[in-house]
Amino acid sequence: MLKKQLMSLLGLTLIMLSGCSSTAEPQKKVAPQLNNQAGVVITSDELAELKASVKQWQQAKAGVERLLVIEQDLKLLIKQLTSVAQEQQSAAAAQKSESKIAKNSSLNPEPIAPPAPIQPTKAQPTKAQPIKVQPLFALQVASVTDQTRLPQSFAKIKATAPTIFAGKVAANVESVNVNGTTFYRLKLGAYIKQENAAKDCNKLMQYQVMCIVSHYTEQPLKM
């Protein structure tokens, strides 16, 4: 509406300017021009009205220009407010999406596998390898030329001294040749130390069993 008023005022101004250039005296009709140009005939009242309109336009010109500036400012402000509103809507939508994802995550939490227990490393006990020591000494309790007599001699000695030969006793036979005759010696026990063999030999002699400490022979007696 403001623009229409401005256009009307501008039109009236142009008419007024063209009319002023063709008037001769106030209160009289303007004589038509005969120079083959289209002329405008106005009355003095109309001229006065035009002048009043021009004066009114000049008075309102500053206000109109100020309104135009305000209109441009308003357009810029509206543009800025629209941009801010769009940004706020985008941020609200993003926040809503994040809250929805967080809610779903809290309702359906992913199971967390417990850490695997650390198995203590058990030190494998090292089995001590038994050290086999070769016996060095034995008790010689009989010497015969007939080997078949040795089992009988062994049974008799065990019965005579049961406390010395309780349980399993090592019984070996050693064969030696003396002047062309073969003797079979019955040897009992297996001793590493000579003093231990001598102690048992003294015990046997207390049971009236003749014995001597001799070297160890590993040749088992056949019963």
Side-chain angles (χ1 to χ4, degrees):
M1 181 176 181
L2 180 61
K3 290 183 178 180
K4 290 181 179 180
Q5 292 178 355
L6 290 176
M7 294 299 295
S8 299
L9 290 175
L10 288 174
L12 291 174
T13 302
L14 292 174
I15 294 172
M16 182 193 68
L17 291 175
S18 60
C20 290
S21 60
S22 59
T23 55
E25 291 180 0
Q27 302 294 329
K28 293 181 179 181
K29 293 185 178 180
V30 180
Q33 296 182 357
L34 300 175
N35 54 357
N36 297 327
Q37 295 181 354
V40 178
V41 179
I42 59 175
T43 63
S44 59
D45 293 335
E46 293 175 342
L47 180 60
E49 185 178 353
L50 287 175
K51 289 182 178 181
S53 299
V54 169
K55 185 176 180 181
Q56 185 179 1
W57 159 247
Q58 290 178 349
Q59 292 176 352
K61 183 178 180 181
V64 171
E65 292 178 350
R66 185 168 61 254
L67 289 175
L68 291 175
V69 173
I70 293 173
E71 182 181 5
Q72 295 296 326
D73 293 340
L74 288 175
K75 289 181 179 180
L76 180 60
L77 179 60
I78 291 171
K79 185 176 180 181
Q80 292 177 350
L81 290 175
T82 303
S83 178
V84 171
Q86 291 177 352
E87 291 179 358
Q88 290 179 349
Q89 290 178 356
S90 300
Q95 185 177 4
K96 184 177 180 180
S97 177
E98 291 178 357
S99 62
K100 185 176 181 180
I101 294 173
K103 183 178 180 180
N104 293 334
S105 300
S106 61
L107 292 176
N108 300 313
E110 295 183 359
I112 300 175
I118 300 175
Q119 297 294 336
T121 303
K122 294 182 179 180
Q124 296 295 333
T126 56
K127 294 182 179 180
Q129 297 294 332
I131 300 174
K132 187 176 181 180
V133 180
Q134 183 67 28
L136 300 177
F137 305 96
L139 303 179
Q140 182 178 323
V141 293
S143 180
V144 296
T145 57
D146 187 3
Q147 187 176 4
T148 58
R149 293 172 56 189
L150 292 179
Q152 184 180 0
S153 300
F154 176 56
K156 184 180 179 179
I157 294 171
K158 284 185 67 177
T160 302
T163 57
I164 299 176
F165 298 109
K168 188 176 181 180
V169 180
N172 295 292
V173 178
E174 180 185 22
S175 59
V176 293
N177 190 289
V178 179
N179 297 324
T181 302
T182 302
F183 290 88
Y184 300 95
R185 299 172 178 174
L186 178 59
K187 296 185 176 184
L188 304 178
Y191 300 91
I192 297 174
K193 295 183 178 181
Q194 186 177 6
E195 54 268 24
N196 293 336
K199 289 179 181 180
D200 287 345
C201 186
N202 293 332
K203 292 177 181 180
L204 278 176
M205 286 190 291
Q206 292 176 3
Y207 288 98
Q208 305 300 317
V209 177
M210 298 301 297
C211 79
I212 59 173
V213 177
S214 178
H215 60 274
Y216 177 78
T217 298
E218 191 170 356
Q219 187 64 40
L221 173 65
K222 295 180 180 180
M223 303 299 287

